[in-house]
Amino acid sequence: MKGQDYYIPAAAMAIALVFKLPALRNNWRDPLLRSVCVLLTLAGAVFTFAAPPTIGAVNDWTGIPNFSAPLVYCLMTAFSASCLVLMFNWRGGPPEEIRRTSQRWISGYATVIVAIAVLFALGDAPEQRLRDFDTHYANTPYIRVMIALYLLAHNVAAMTMSAMCWRWSLQVRGWLRGGLVIIVAGYGFSLTYDATKMSAVVARWLGYDLDALSTYVAPPLASVGALVSAVGFILPLVCQRTSDSWRTWATYRRLGPLWHEVQSTAPEGTPGVRMSWWSPAEIRVIQRESDIHDGFLRLGPCFDREQRDTAYERALADGADEATARAVADAAMVAAAVRASAADPEGTAALEEADGERVLILADGARDLVRISHALRHSPVVAAARRQAAPARG
């Protein structure tokens, strides 16, 4: 593999991390978000420092032949631990249990990282090897233990992650299940990487030469595995957020007919709340719902319970279900009240003064505003109530 084969995935990880940093800054106490950012950082570091040009540059800068080997092994070990920690936080459960489990894995893999550094310091690897360090030094005292240790740690993490994700994928649906299946596929590549690496190293121990497996087959498997696994982690989080945002904007849009209907009754010159173009969709929905309830308060004295009951019976007669019939009835009452208010504003004001103790039928309880808004535009029962409202009030 060439340098760009490593640097392109590293750049992709860096871009994903940049998009995550604002959320981390606003909610840095979220363990799931922190775990995602740590995983992206370590994945990018593994790709960057495992590239042959970077390996040579680090060795030259430190003045220690093969210094990059334990560095890359430590980064891969830390990346394996970060995947496990992210999975525990993602799966959820009692916070104390998640914290204890994460700390145990972190402590275990931190011990492996320290052991890798100590074994490299005790060993002797004077000849720089950019691509075949594992097999070249497979029989060197201490170095061979270091190689076997990092491969074992990586293999344990890969098997644990594959088993956890597969079991979890059988219990969930949607984007989460898709992400978990992708993670399992990614760790399939990682396990194949471990198998090829270990096969080449064991062949050296037994006096055979399978170096090509380690030098040419294993690196692409590791890169593909890390990329696929990272996509599996990120995809459900991104898609779920996108789906939530889409639903929120859809709610905002569906509330439009009802909002415009009640806003037409606002006194002239009433200042509206100005929303900046970058305001979150959630804030816009809350503001629109607030405006609608304010409109209900203004129209409350004009609401006619008998008219609502009549519309309810008509909707049921037309085949509507219970929830739809209630929404149609409320929408018909709102439409009639708005029409009456527009046709005779002075009479409506007098009615409000004379009947100030009247119960506000809609403003007083929870209603499905989206259903009411939909009925306001599409229900023939509501259209009939709107046409009849002004003459009846007159």
Side-chain angles (χ1 to χ4, degrees):
M1 295 179 66
K2 299 180 181 179
Q4 60 266 28
D5 296 329
Y6 293 87
Y7 295 138
I8 292 175
M13 299 296 172
I15 293 172
L17 179 62
V18 167
F19 280 105
K20 283 291 180 184
L21 286 178
L24 179 64
R25 185 177 62 249
N26 295 330
N27 194 17
W28 66 274
R29 292 182 180 275
D30 185 351
L32 177 58
L33 192 55
R34 289 203 308 267
S35 300
V36 170
C37 292
V38 170
L39 181 140
L40 291 173
T41 301
L42 289 172
V46 169
F47 279 115
T48 301
F49 286 96
T54 307
I55 291 174
V58 170
N59 291 339
D60 293 339
W61 180 71
T62 59
I64 302 174
N66 299 306
F67 179 85
S68 285
L71 175 62
V72 173
Y73 296 163
C74 290
L75 288 173
M76 289 182 66
T77 304
F79 174 73
S80 298
S82 71
C83 291
L84 290 166
V85 171
L86 174 57
M87 182 54 60
F88 297 134
N89 282 286
W90 193 10
R91 188 177 57 180
E96 286 300 323
E97 181 180 343
I98 296 173
R99 189 176 300 108
R100 284 195 302 269
T101 305
S102 299
Q103 288 174 350
R104 283 197 296 266
W105 282 99
I106 292 172
S107 299
Y109 275 80
T111 302
V112 173
I113 290 172
V114 172
I116 289 173
V118 171
L119 290 168
F120 179 76
L122 293 174
D124 184 23
E127 183 182 351
Q128 176 173 267
R129 311 297 298 188
L130 299 180
R131 297 178 182 273
D132 60 348
F133 178 89
D134 294 342
T135 51
H136 186 80
Y137 290 105
N139 291 311
T140 303
Y142 297 110
I143 300 296
R144 63 184 177 187
V145 180
M146 178 189 75
I147 294 169
L149 182 62
Y150 104 82
L151 286 174
L152 179 62
H154 187 267
N155 189 255
V156 169
M159 289 191 296
T160 303
M161 288 291 297
S162 297
M164 288 174 56
C165 293
W166 182 251
R167 286 198 302 267
W168 194 13
S169 70
L170 300 178
Q171 304 170 5
V172 295
R173 293 291 184 271
W175 288 112
L176 179 56
R177 184 176 189 178
L180 292 170
V181 172
I182 292 173
I183 293 172
V184 172
Y187 275 98
F189 286 101
S190 297
L191 289 170
T192 308
Y193 163 84
D194 292 333
T196 55
K197 276 283 186 181
M198 189 59 75
S199 298
V201 171
V202 171
R204 277 284 189 166
W205 292 350
L206 300 176
Y208 299 100
D209 185 355
L210 296 178
D211 292 6
L213 289 177
S214 175
T215 305
Y216 301 108
V217 178
L221 291 172
S223 297
V224 173
L227 268 179
V228 173
S229 299
V231 169
F233 280 117
I234 296 171
L235 184 67
L237 300 175
V238 172
C239 291
Q240 186 61 50
R241 176 165 295 186
T242 302
S243 178
D244 292 343
S245 179
W246 177 264
R247 285 196 294 269
T248 303
W249 278 111
T251 299
Y252 178 80
R253 186 180 67 254
R254 290 168 183 166
L255 288 173
L258 180 57
W259 181 80
H260 286 291
E261 189 84 10
V262 299
Q263 280 295 97
S264 65
T265 66
E268 188 174 350
T270 302
V273 177
R274 293 184 176 274
M275 305 289 289
S276 57
W277 63 269
W278 60 82
S279 297
E282 294 82 358
I283 301 299
R284 291 177 178 270
V285 170
I286 292 172
Q287 182 59 50
R288 178 155 283 190
E289 290 175 342
S290 177
D291 290 342
I292 290 171
H293 285 295
D294 288 345
F296 287 168
L297 289 173
R298 289 192 300 270
L299 292 170
C302 300
F303 287 152
D304 188 338
R305 185 184 295 274
E306 182 178 350
Q307 190 174 47
R308 186 181 68 168
D309 293 341
T310 301
Y312 176 77
E313 296 297 334
R314 289 180 180 175
L316 287 178
D318 290 343
D321 57 69
E322 180 70 20
T324 301
R326 286 200 301 267
V328 168
D330 291 337
M333 187 171 59
V334 170
V338 170
R339 185 69 181 270
S341 175
D344 188 10
E346 294 183 1
T348 301
L351 175 62
E352 181 174 354
E353 291 179 3
D355 201 11
E357 299 297 324
R358 188 172 182 175
V359 176
L360 304 183
I361 301 173
L362 275 181
D364 191 34
R367 292 293 187 275
D368 190 338
L369 298 182
V370 173
R371 281 180 179 268
I372 296 174
S373 185
H374 181 270
L376 201 62
R377 173 172 288 184
H378 298 96
S379 173
V381 175
V382 176
R386 183 183 285 112
R387 287 193 301 269
Q388 298 169 6
R393 178 67 66 185

